[in-house]
Amino acid sequence: MGLFDFLKVAVNDKKPAKPAARMPVSVIQCDGKSFPILSLTPKGFVARGFDGSLVVGQNAKVSVRVDDPAGKFTFNATVSVVEIKGDTVGATWTILPTEIDAVIRRYAQLRKTQDGKAAR
């Protein structure tokens, strides 16, 4: 028996760890900045984490990327900023193609159902 034999520890082979699950990401991108979406409807959106780069009444081109259990889609749009409160920004779509409107309506309905707020 050696002097350091008491330090030897038997190690069992372990199964490889599963890769971490990818977090759902739904964001509004504007001028290279991303803001997480709080609400998305056929009328517009509300996003948080806003940095003050837009002002009320301003038009802006945005990219919308939705990736959550209720849907996964991406589109570009022009919006008009209607409200800024603290770090949240609200905007309405200025022109929205009918096919994108339909996708957003389905998405909003699925979210409503998933959140337990189904129409009665």
Side-chain angles (χ1 to χ4, degrees):
M1 185 163 167
L3 182 63
F4 294 105
D5 282 348
F6 69 93
L7 293 176
K8 292 181 181 176
V9 178
V11 178
N12 295 331
D13 289 337
K14 293 184 179 182
K15 294 179 184 176
K18 291 184 199 175
R22 193 173 54 75
M23 293 295 293
V25 177
S26 296
V27 295
I28 299 291
Q29 295 175 313
C30 180
D31 294 333
K33 301 171 189 167
S34 295
F35 308 110
I37 297 173
L38 293 176
S39 172
L40 182 70
T41 69
K43 291 184 180 183
F45 69 86
V46 175
R48 65 181 161 86
F50 182 62
D51 65 350
S53 58
L54 301 172
V55 295
V56 174
Q58 180 177 355
N59 289 336
K61 291 195 179 283
V62 298
S63 176
V64 180
R65 188 177 76 222
V66 174
D67 185 359
D68 66 24
K72 183 175 182 176
F73 54 92
T74 303
F75 65 92
N76 295 321
T78 302
V79 298
S80 178
V81 178
V82 293
E83 183 176 44
I84 297 173
K85 283 187 178 176
D87 74 337
T88 62
V89 60
T92 58
W93 314 116
T94 54
I95 299 174
L96 198 61
T98 54
E99 55 274 0
I100 298 298
D101 182 74
V103 169
I104 293 173
R105 286 182 187 281
R106 271 195 311 274
Y107 171 77
Q109 190 61 41
L110 282 171
R111 285 294 302 260
K112 191 174 182 181
T113 302
Q114 289 175 353
D115 291 344
K117 300 176 186 172
R120 298 167 204 237

